């Protein structure tokens, strides 16, 4: 049974947190990857995906100055919106991408990024429309299929969402980001065992990133296996990142016995 928006809103924030993970990983197009695109942007000291909060703020200021000098530069605009979004400034990111889209109305990459910004700002119906405009029937893009699925999941249309993920896997079999998104779709529906199966498959694929493993840690932890979840959550991360993820898992564990409750709910799930 698919999780509806109403049911998501009454579960003490637990599944809403999972929903945000789905959106962050899937609508980004490459599930958790948030590196800047190459082009006329200021040189960064390290990949954006590896920056801490202070470094991200500094990156936003640096790229922001470049954007102010040339707001019509497509690459700078897209990267500025990306960094703004990573700083939690979703409304500003959307405003930047709106201008980039106005200047590049038929650019497929721009439309995809614009849809991502709309979704991050909560404009899900508009984001879905933009993502569909970016897709070309004769050259379907698995990333856009996956992004479409993530938005449909947020709209409570889980069956359609999983159809899009499977279409993406038909184009790019065993892609870890799509398998992860599919697993998170089942997590949102409280089918934790199926979610874990897909997430384990995703984590075992070459090219699986840390975001995929963090989603697996969440699915394992929600079944009450916290020690195993903590081990997964700490892999390949800096101490700061690992502690932040573990703290999040622990916080979820304290929410009205939510972990045990969700595991008990899952034991009766027939999906």
């Amino acid at each position: 049974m698919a999780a509806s928006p109403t049911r998501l809103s009454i579960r003490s924030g637990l599944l809403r947190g999972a929903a945000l993970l789905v959106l962050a990983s899937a609508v980004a197009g490459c599930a958790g990857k948030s590196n800047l695109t190459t082009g006329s942007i200021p040189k960064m000291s390290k990949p954006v995906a590896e920056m801490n909060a202070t470094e991200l703020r500094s990156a936003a200021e640096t790229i922001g100055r470049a954007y102010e000098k040339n707001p019509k530069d497509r690459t700078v605009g897209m990267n500025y919106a990306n960094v703004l979004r990573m700083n939690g400034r979703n409304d500003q990111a959307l405003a930047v991408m709106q201008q980039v889209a106005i200047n590049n109305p038929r650019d497929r990459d721009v439309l995809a990024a614009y849809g991502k910004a709309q979704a991050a700002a909560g404009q899900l119906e508009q984001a879905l429309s933009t993502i569909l405009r970016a897709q070309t029937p004769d050259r379907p893009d698995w990333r856009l299929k996956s992004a479409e699925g993530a938005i449909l999941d947020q709209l409570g249309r889980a069956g359609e969402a999983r159809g899009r993920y499977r279409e993406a896997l038909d184009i790019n079999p065993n892609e870890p980001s799509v398998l992860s998104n599919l697993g998170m779709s089942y997590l949102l529906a409280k089918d934790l065992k199926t979610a874990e199966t897909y997430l384990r498959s995703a984590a075992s694929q070459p090219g699986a990133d840390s975001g995929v493993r963090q989603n697996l840690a969440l699915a394992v932890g929600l079944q009450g296996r916290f020690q195993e979840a903590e081990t997964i959550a700490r892999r390949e991360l800096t101490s700061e990142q690992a502690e932040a993820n573990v703290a999040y898992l622990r916080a979820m564990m304290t929410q009205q016995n939510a972990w045990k409750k969700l595991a008990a709910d899952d034991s009766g799930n027939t999906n």
Side-chain angles (χ1 to χ4, degrees):
M1 180 176 178
S4 70
T6 301
R7 289 169 62 192
L8 289 176
S9 69
I10 62 175
R11 299 202 47 91
S12 304
L14 182 66
L15 289 181
R16 186 182 297 110
L20 291 175
L21 285 177
V22 172
L23 195 59
S25 67
V27 180
C30 270
K33 296 180 182 178
S34 42
N35 294 329
L36 298 179
T37 58
T38 57
S40 51
I41 58 173
K43 184 175 289 187
M44 298 289 108
S45 60
K46 64 169 69 172
V48 175
E50 298 175 8
M51 291 182 180
N52 60 32
T54 300
E55 292 167 330
L56 280 171
R57 285 193 295 271
S58 177
E61 292 174 4
T62 300
I63 301 176
R65 287 192 292 270
Y67 176 74
E68 287 176 4
K69 290 179 180 178
N70 190 1
K72 291 188 177 182
D73 187 306
R74 165 190 176 277
T75 303
V76 170
M78 292 174 68
N79 286 306
Y80 184 38
N82 188 32
V83 175
L84 286 171
R85 189 169 51 254
M86 292 180 69
N87 276 283
R89 294 156 65 181
N90 292 328
D91 289 342
Q92 289 175 270
L94 177 58
V96 170
M97 276 312 308
Q98 187 174 41
Q99 288 303 311
V100 176
I102 288 171
N103 292 326
N104 302 272
R106 291 183 173 81
D107 188 305
R108 186 177 186 178
D109 292 336
V110 167
L111 286 173
Y114 184 31
K116 174 170 61 175
Q118 289 173 311
Q123 298 181 7
L124 298 179
E125 293 285 1
Q126 297 94 319
L128 185 59
S129 176
T130 301
I131 292 294
L132 289 172
R133 280 166 48 214
Q135 189 67 271
T136 14
D138 59 330
R139 288 188 303 113
D141 187 322
W142 65 267
R143 294 173 181 84
L144 294 176
K145 291 283 188 183
S146 188
E148 184 184 347
I151 296 168
L152 288 167
D153 259 326
Q154 293 298 288
L155 291 169
R157 295 156 61 181
E160 293 175 72
R162 292 169 199 166
R164 298 301 178 273
Y165 298 140
R166 292 188 171 99
E167 288 171 9
L169 290 169
D170 286 341
I171 299 169
N172 193 5
N174 297 319
E175 165 56 39
S177 64
V178 183
L179 287 169
S180 178
N181 296 337
L182 183 54
M184 293 299 282
S185 180
Y186 280 100
L187 185 147
L188 287 170
K190 300 188 296 178
D191 187 347
L192 301 182
K193 292 181 177 62
T194 302
E196 182 183 351
T197 297
Y198 280 112
L199 289 165
R200 283 199 180 279
S201 178
S204 71
Q205 302 301 323
D209 65 13
S210 175
V212 171
R213 281 179 279 277
Q214 299 316 305
N215 288 346
L216 173 59
L218 179 63
V220 170
L222 287 171
Q223 295 176 75
R225 289 146 47 205
F226 185 76
Q227 186 171 8
E228 181 183 353
E230 184 172 351
T231 299
I232 296 169
R234 289 184 181 278
R235 287 178 191 162
E236 302 175 11
L237 297 176
T238 66
S239 297
E240 181 183 6
Q241 292 169 324
E243 288 304 322
N245 282 334
V246 170
Y248 173 71
L249 291 171
R250 289 188 185 280
M252 294 184 74
M253 202 173 171
T254 64
Q255 293 185 41
Q256 301 177 1
N257 296 316
W259 289 41
K260 291 181 180 179
K261 185 177 188 301
L262 197 57
D265 287 347
D266 182 54
S267 66
N269 194 306
T270 58
N271 281 357

